[in-house]
Amino acid sequence: MYLKLPPPLLMIITLGCMYLLSQFWPLWVFSFWGQQALVLVLSLSGALLGLSGVVSFARARTTVNPHKPKNTSRLVTEGIYQFSRNPMYLGLVLFLIAACLYLGAVSPCVMVFLFVGYMNHFQIEPEEDALKLKFGDEFTTYCQRVRRWC
């Protein structure tokens, strides 16, 4: 796999770009009742999703390193992986959505879509190709049963 950036680093860069957009191009600024509570709920949900993905990998005693999917010793399909093939990445997206709400402008939301597109093309597809080679029909069946994001 030829990954350019680790997903957490990519999320931090995306957050920086979101902040810059909110400061220098704040299109459709908004504020609403319960905004901060929603930010908190989305942030906590993202953290719990990511953590549950890590815990599932730890229980299966396999790697969480996205740079080396070939080192995966077992296909994890239990726990949160019954509902999403990428709960850790989904957790990052929820955190980015929370950041959009926190920043209070629509323009930073563009970065969420760019993040998802980048993750699909440069992260998830290469991971899935490696897992398909390693686990064959078992992985194909899993992909048919469980959606990529949610």
Side-chain angles (χ1 to χ4, degrees):
M1 285 187 48
Y2 302 106
L3 298 177
K4 307 272 189 268
L5 298 170
L9 178 59
L10 181 63
M11 184 197 69
I12 291 168
I13 291 168
T14 303
L15 283 171
C17 292
M18 290 169 68
Y19 175 77
L20 292 173
L21 281 171
S22 74
Q23 296 301 302
F24 298 107
W25 196 38
L27 294 179
W28 299 305
V29 175
F30 60 84
S31 178
F32 57 89
W33 182 87
Q35 184 174 349
Q36 297 306 317
L38 186 54
V39 167
L40 182 62
V41 167
L42 287 171
S43 296
L44 289 174
S45 297
L48 288 173
L49 265 174
L51 185 59
S52 66
V54 171
V55 166
S56 292
F57 272 40
R59 284 186 180 151
R61 294 194 169 129
T62 190
T63 183
V64 296
N65 185 347
H67 290 283
K68 299 182 181 179
K70 292 180 181 176
N71 291 350
T72 302
S73 59
R74 183 168 171 247
L75 181 62
V76 180
T77 60
E78 303 87 32
I80 194 66
Y81 288 92
Q82 296 174 69
F83 309 105
S84 172
R85 295 196 315 254
N86 298 288
M88 290 182 256
Y89 302 151
L90 182 57
L92 297 178
V93 169
L94 287 178
F95 192 77
L96 291 173
I97 293 169
C100 282
L101 290 171
Y102 178 80
L103 294 168
V106 173
S107 52
C109 295
V110 168
M111 294 306 301
V112 176
F113 293 103
L114 291 174
F115 179 85
V116 169
Y118 179 93
M119 291 299 291
N120 276 330
H121 184 71
F122 293 104
Q123 183 70 40
I124 295 172
E125 289 175 7
E127 280 180 12
E128 289 183 345
D129 289 344
L131 292 171
K132 198 175 294 180
L133 285 174
K134 181 149 188 143
F135 297 106
D137 290 340
E138 182 183 7
F139 182 71
T140 302
T141 301
Y142 173 65
C143 290
Q144 292 168 348
R145 193 177 73 245
V146 178
R147 295 181 61 151
R148 181 178 276 175
W149 287 95
C150 59

